[in-house]
Amino acid sequence: MHEWDIRAGLEPDAQLSAASIPSILLTIGESIASGSLRWAFWSGPALPAPVRYRFIVTGANLTRSDVLVDGNTLRMDEPQESTANVTVHCDAATYVLLVYGRLNLEAALDSGRLVVVGDPALVLDFGQWFRGI
């Protein structure tokens, strides 16, 4: 990730190393599962009801994961049979950059890097919670 940070400051079209993405995805999943993703999650006021974000991440290994924001906390959850409040389709690099707060959410939506099904306002909330470190 830090390599990308350096290169992104010098190269407008900097890309994450494809070889690094699987280990970063694993780190994100383990961090959310263990509750240690606080380094990336900036909670706001407690939500009145939980919000379920379903991420469908495309690439070599299609990944489906739910991130449940409940009150002012979050946790990774297995995708449920129930419908998510918002479903976000994106590639793995976009997902990583989004969770690490390195990707401007509105720009990603405008450029088509994210395809959203559900309430767009909830997606913008996600971008405020994951602002990076």
Side-chain angles (χ1 to χ4, degrees):
M1 196 71 224
H2 296 299
E3 175 191 355
W4 181 88
D5 287 333
I6 293 166
R7 287 186 25 248
L10 302 171
E11 305 169 19
D13 294 330
Q15 302 292 317
L16 281 173
S17 163
S20 71
I21 293 174
S23 63
I24 296 173
L25 287 172
L26 182 63
T27 299
I28 290 170
E30 289 174 351
S31 296
I32 292 174
S34 69
S36 66
L37 194 67
R38 297 202 181 279
W39 51 265
F41 181 69
W42 299 70
S43 66
L47 298 174
V51 177
R52 180 175 298 275
Y53 292 88
R54 179 157 301 140
F55 286 90
I56 301 177
V57 181
T58 59
N61 296 317
L62 178 69
T63 304
R64 289 183 50 174
S65 62
D66 283 7
V67 175
L68 186 66
V69 179
D70 189 1
N72 59 357
T73 63
L74 84 153
R75 71 176 191 271
M76 181 74 85
D77 203 6
E78 291 296 320
Q80 304 293 315
E81 292 298 322
S82 62
T83 303
N85 299 92
V86 176
T87 300
V88 179
H89 300 263
C90 62
D91 61 53
T94 299
Y95 175 72
V96 167
L97 293 172
L98 181 64
V99 170
Y100 273 77
R102 303 312 203 270
L103 182 63
N104 178 287
L105 190 60
E106 290 182 46
L109 287 166
D110 290 345
S111 69
R113 289 182 75 171
L114 300 174
V115 176
V116 175
V117 178
D119 185 350
L122 291 175
V123 174
L124 296 176
D125 287 343
F126 190 88
Q128 292 180 4
W129 292 325
F130 288 87
R131 297 183 303 218
I133 53 176

